[in-house]
Amino acid sequence: MIKLLPYLFLLTFLMYGPESCSSKKTTLQSTVFEPESSPSLLGNSKNSIALDPLESDEGQNQKAEKSNLIGVYFMPSWNLSPDPNKDIDSFWACLTGRENCGHLNNTAIWGPKGRIYNAQNPYEGPFLERKPHPSLKGFYKRNDPQVAKKQLEYMKSYGIDFFAYDWFFGRHYYYHMNFAPQAKTYYPKGWKTDPTKDGRTAVPGMEEWNEQLTVLLSENEKLPAEKQMKWAINWVDDSEERWRHWLDVGSPASLSAGRNYRGEVPDRQLYLQVHDKITQLWIDKYFNRKDYLKDDKGRPIVYLYFPQDLEARASVYGITMKELLDRSKSLAQKAGLKGIKFIAVAAGAMAERERQYALPTKWVANNPRELWRGGNYTDKLLFQDYVPRLKGMGFEGMTAYVYHSFMDKDNRSYDDMRSNYKSHWEMWSEKFKGDSDFEYQIPVAMGWDMRPMGGTWPQATGFPSEPYKDKVHSTKSTFKAKLLEAQKFSEKYRASNGNTVMVCCWNEYLEGNHIEPTEGHGFDYLEAIKEVFAKGN
């Protein structure tokens, strides 16, 4: 028996959350509103809180035809409490105060004192205007099936075609298949376990923060086929903490603590086995579902957030991104699928002054024989130099989560964001217009304000480095104008871009990028999407 009780492995990831979904690498590595009636779901609405479309016959029966396919990113939250009987939601804790906000207390990103507030840098919360709409039960529970059903119905009725779920995987978790509840944890059929160690897995790794995905899919399959949402994986492999946990496998400290047995080391062979395990999990659990998003060839689509992180870390083993993606495609084909279509979700620094934050292509260990001692990201490329490599890496398209700048111009307002996005759209649409095998999916964002997490961007000093970027606030009218601009670009470059518009985000509450109905903005952003993309509007 390993020194620690088998189920204690769960506590490690309960203590940590993913890095901000658009984080820049540092050099250190209330009021309740009543819905009002609306004459038509397809018409304009001046109300901040619109009628719940599901209470309307028009909402139930409306099947607007569109020329665009609208996707939206869905970010999961997680429990910050190590006590399984107590839930401290990572979203709501940071919106309602600072005491329980794990992001503010994270010394790994803010330094030894965590986020520092003083007279010069006062705390500006709580951020109660971001409280979800009463029809979603306010600060809802992540695994509430009624809330999940309502979220799916809102997406569908307001013209969103699919959601891309931000999907996380912890590579380092070993677990025991002879113990409940670990026996229910996914492990590929027929893969080796050690019966002398309670069925301990030979290849580690497990999904993280998938509570909401589980309930969303459960509720989705209960709906009639015509009302179900399509969905796709947005694989997020950007967490530095998650990477360090992997490197620590088999370290003296890990062996001493009983997290590992001797012989368990994060070498090249094990890294590839874990990658295969990730792909096999997708195949076994998700790709054969009727609601999984597929391209016109029948291939499941996988979005891959910040490919530079995966590329750089695989480089320590001499593995290229193309090898990884080809490996996944081959496994899918062996399982009877037609392959996998990978779309890069990419963004990054473009100005020479931000070279230190550019996209790395390599990770160099301080000591190749002792990976737990860390290393450095090297061979960094500015975004405009990184993008031309994507197709050769095995990607068949590109989109973005959030663009924070274009060249030397930062987003200091929503007007800036609209201008910078248009510059990106033009640059990448023009670049790929002659390539029908590589699509640029036009991205749109409703804003940015990371103050609930401490601000943009965390530094070891305890203060954010660029707090002026936390004032990128839109309204229904300015967001709608941006959607109209996106629609025009999508139509102009349809032959190469395809017809997908990606919206960030459904529920990035801590980054101020959320179109889910709230007490503050009601249904404004969903109404804007319907008004732009529904046929006849």
Side-chain angles (χ1 to χ4, degrees), residues 414-431:
Y414 199 68
D415 283 343
D416 288 340
M417 177 179 264
R418 283 176 59 187
S419 175
N420 287 336
Y421 266 63
K422 287 172 69 176
S423 295
H424 277 284
W425 297 342
E426 184 171 14
M427 172 178 274
W428 307 124
S429 294
E430 280 292 316
K431 177 173 179 58

Side-chain angles (χ1 to χ4, degrees), residues 247 265-268 316-317 363-375:
L247 297 177
V265 292
D267 58 16
R268 186 179 192 277
V316 73
Y317 302 112
W363 187 87
V364 179
N366 293 330
N367 184 335
R369 295 183 178 180
E370 299 177 344
L371 295 180
W372 64 85
R373 298 190 183 278

Side-chain angles (χ1 to χ4, degrees), residues 298-313:
R299 296 177 301 171
I301 297 172
V302 172
Y303 290 86
L304 205 165
Y305 177 86
F306 274 22
Q308 69 271 16
D309 290 321
L310 181 59
E311 179 188 16
R313 293 162 187 167

Side-chain angles (χ1 to χ4, degrees), residues 6-283:
Y7 61 84
L8 291 182
F9 82 99
L10 293 170
L11 297 183
T12 303
F13 72 85
L14 290 173
M15 299 294 289
Y16 298 96
E19 290 184 338
S20 162
C21 266
S22 298
S23 63
K24 175 186 287 187
K25 298 292 189 298
T26 68
T27 53
L28 296 176
Q29 306 277 314
S30 78
T31 304
V32 176
F33 296 89
E34 293 296 330
E36 300 180 16
S37 61
S38 173
S40 171
L41 288 169
L42 292 176
N44 294 329
S45 171
K46 65 181 184 297
N47 302 314
S48 294
I49 300 295
L51 172 69
D52 179 343
L54 307 171
E55 297 172 2
S56 161
D57 289 338
E58 287 185 72
Q60 290 281 9
N61 299 324
Q62 192 274 335
K63 296 180 181 180
E65 297 179 27
K66 301 176 300 180
S67 60
N68 285 102
L69 193 67
I70 310 303
V72 64
Y73 297 105
F74 191 108
M75 175 64 188
S77 61
W78 61 95
N79 185 10
L80 294 172
S81 174
D83 182 353
N85 298 313
K86 183 178 182 181
D87 187 87
I88 301 177
D89 190 278
S90 60
F91 282 177
W92 314 143
C94 294
L95 294 186
T96 57
R98 23 184 312 206
E99 292 74 23
N100 292 324
C101 180
H103 293 285
L104 302 182
N105 300 322
N106 190 335
T107 59
I109 61 174
W110 288 111
K113 295 183 180 180
R115 174 63 163 98
I116 298 172
Y117 294 104
N118 53 30
Q120 289 74 36
N121 297 274
Y123 174 65
E124 299 178 75
F127 302 89
L128 299 182
E129 74 283 357
R130 302 187 193 186
K131 184 177 182 179
H133 187 268
S135 63
L136 293 168
K137 302 185 180 182
F139 292 130
Y140 52 76
K141 292 185 180 297
R142 294 178 302 282
N143 59 353
D144 187 327
Q146 292 179 333
V147 172
K149 181 181 180 182
K150 184 68 73 173
Q151 289 170 323
L152 294 166
E153 291 172 335
Y154 281 157
M155 290 181 194
K156 192 73 172 181
S157 62
Y158 278 100
I160 295 170
D161 298 288
F162 71 94
F163 63 91
Y165 189 89
D166 295 349
W167 189 84
F168 299 83
F169 191 85
R171 298 176 184 273
H172 62 290
Y173 295 115
Y174 285 90
Y175 45 94
H176 302 75
M177 299 303 293
N178 295 347
F179 277 92
Q182 296 181 33
K184 297 181 180 180
T185 305
Y186 172 82
Y187 196 61
K189 186 177 181 180
W191 282 31
K192 291 183 178 180
T193 59
D194 189 340
T196 68
K197 299 171 184 173
D198 303 302
R200 184 174 172 86
T201 59
V203 180
M206 61 179 290
E207 291 177 279
E208 297 179 313
W209 305 299
N210 64 334
E211 287 177 279
Q212 282 159 294
L213 180 60
T214 300
V215 69
L216 282 167
L217 298 187
S218 175
E219 292 305 307
N220 202 38
E221 62 190 12
K222 295 176 185 177
L223 296 171
E226 69 275 10
K227 294 185 178 182
Q228 290 184 9
M229 285 293 297
K230 294 292 184 180
W231 73 283
I233 287 166
N234 179 33
W235 182 18
V236 183
D237 197 45
D238 74 323
S239 171
E240 179 66 16
E241 288 178 331
R242 195 173 295 106
W243 172 240
R244 289 187 176 276
H245 284 319
W246 162 256
L247 297 177
D248 192 57
V249 171
S251 71
S254 188
L255 290 171
S256 177
R259 292 188 293 269
N260 291 123
Y261 292 107
R262 295 199 177 279
E264 294 174 343
V265 292
D267 58 16
R268 186 179 192 277
Q269 180 183 4
L270 189 61
Y271 184 88
L272 289 173
Q273 287 177 320
V274 171
H275 181 80
D276 290 350
K277 181 179 181 179
I278 291 171
T279 306
Q280 197 63 48
L281 184 153
W282 296 343
I283 294 168

Side-chain angles (χ1 to χ4, degrees), residues 376-389:
N376 297 288
Y377 295 92
T378 67
D379 294 45
K380 297 180 179 180
L381 298 175
L382 294 175
F383 185 51
Q384 62 269 32
D385 298 320
Y386 191 90
V387 170
R389 303 168 64 251

